[in-house]
Amino acid sequence: MIIAIDGPAASGKGTLARRIAAHYGLPHLDTGLLYRAVAARCLALGGLDDVGASEAAARTLDLATIDPEALRSAAMGEAASVVAARPGVRAALLDLQHRFAAQDKGAVLDGRDIGTVICPGADVKLFVTASPEVRAQRRFRELAARGAAVTFDDVLVDIRKRDERDSQRSAAPLVMADDAVALDTSNLGIEEAFAAAMAIVTERTSRLG
Ligand code: CDP
């Protein structure tokens, strides 16, 4: 069973993907981490401007060496969205994602283009949304809890900017797949959102027989 979960920044897709994967005992890949890791590599080598260097970083990315905790900052999210707009970077990460999705038991992948580009044949596709203000509030709380010196307004500006860049780019833009089911989590807590997501997944998988 392949479950594709897409949505904009801080929509709750990562939390849902983790919970759903744990529920079914499936491996989970947070594909945002791939772009964050590529961006981190570029920044360590001097900056984001060199397209060739970002493609090389994507080609040589090793999942085993990714440290999620080191990549969670707002600045890294922004840098990830810059390198993620490059077709060569996206192409270089295709194979790794396809291999992850092709595991025997299946997999849960979350990102921006899982249902549209990476796993168009996924058994279940969820498109998780929430208003920009709610998403900014969630992300602000997460970052503040980690001790980051950010304000709510900074986070809201960052989220709007990233939404625009991710939706407007020509390479695999953030867009809901035709056969995805939308889940708006603006007014849902984590448990409620998980229950709503599970209702969609069970309904879809029962139809598959
Ligand atoms: O956690 P959050 O939603 O803030 O970000 P993320 O999922 O870690 O993704 C960081 C950035 O990577 C996004 O803003 C996208 O530009 C890019 N990304 C992408 O282009 N395609 C994916 N499948 C996943 C992330």
Side-chain angles (χ1 to χ4, degrees):
M1 174 161 69
I2 297 180
I3 302 178
I5 306 184
D6 291 302
S11 54
K13 62 188 184 308
T15 306
L16 288 177
R18 261 191 309 281
R19 296 274 306 254
I20 293 170
H23 180 88
Y24 288 108
L26 291 172
H28 165 228
L29 181 63
D30 169 356
T31 63
L33 282 178
L34 308 178
Y35 298 93
R36 286 173 184 259
V38 168
R41 185 86 183 281
C42 295
L43 291 172
L45 293 173
L48 296 176
D49 293 344
D50 186 338
V51 174
S54 58
E55 293 169 352
R59 273 197 305 275
T60 54
L61 189 72
D62 178 0
L63 255 189
T65 63
I66 294 180
D67 172 11
E69 281 316 305
L71 302 170
R72 299 267 180 227
S73 71
M76 212 53 85
E78 168 68 18
S81 119
V82 172
V83 297
R86 298 175 180 160
V89 168
R90 306 198 71 84
L93 295 172
L94 269 178
D95 220 42
L96 186 162
Q97 295 175 86
H98 284 154
R99 270 186 277 119
F100 193 92
Q103 294 179 78
D104 284 349
K105 287 170 84 177
V108 179
L109 288 87
D110 77 85
R112 302 291 188 286
D113 62 340
I114 308 304
T116 50
V117 175
I118 305 296
C119 301
D123 301 296
V124 186
K125 297 181 185 179
L126 281 176
F127 194 80
V128 184
T129 60
S131 72
E133 290 75 14
V134 167
R135 290 186 284 125
Q137 189 61 46
R138 288 178 186 158
R139 187 50 53 87
F140 171 63
R141 287 208 188 107
E142 273 170 33
L143 292 168
R146 287 203 183 92
V150 284
T151 67
F152 170 79
D153 288 342
D154 291 341
V155 178
L156 182 58
V157 167
D158 171 67
I159 285 213
R160 287 192 194 281
K161 189 163 147 198
R162 228 151 30 99
D163 281 358
E164 179 164 343
R165 189 187 290 121
D166 290 349
S167 319
Q168 301 302 319
R169 70 186 180 209
S170 51
L174 169 67
V175 59
M176 180 166 141
D178 291 339
D179 53 350
V181 181
L183 174 60
D184 185 338
T185 67
S186 298
N187 298 311
L188 303 179
I190 291 176
E191 293 305 325
E192 291 166 316
F194 177 59
M198 284 301 296
I200 295 167
V201 175
T202 36
E203 194 271 331
R204 287 271 144 162
T205 46
S206 71
R207 275 210 241 165
L208 296 171

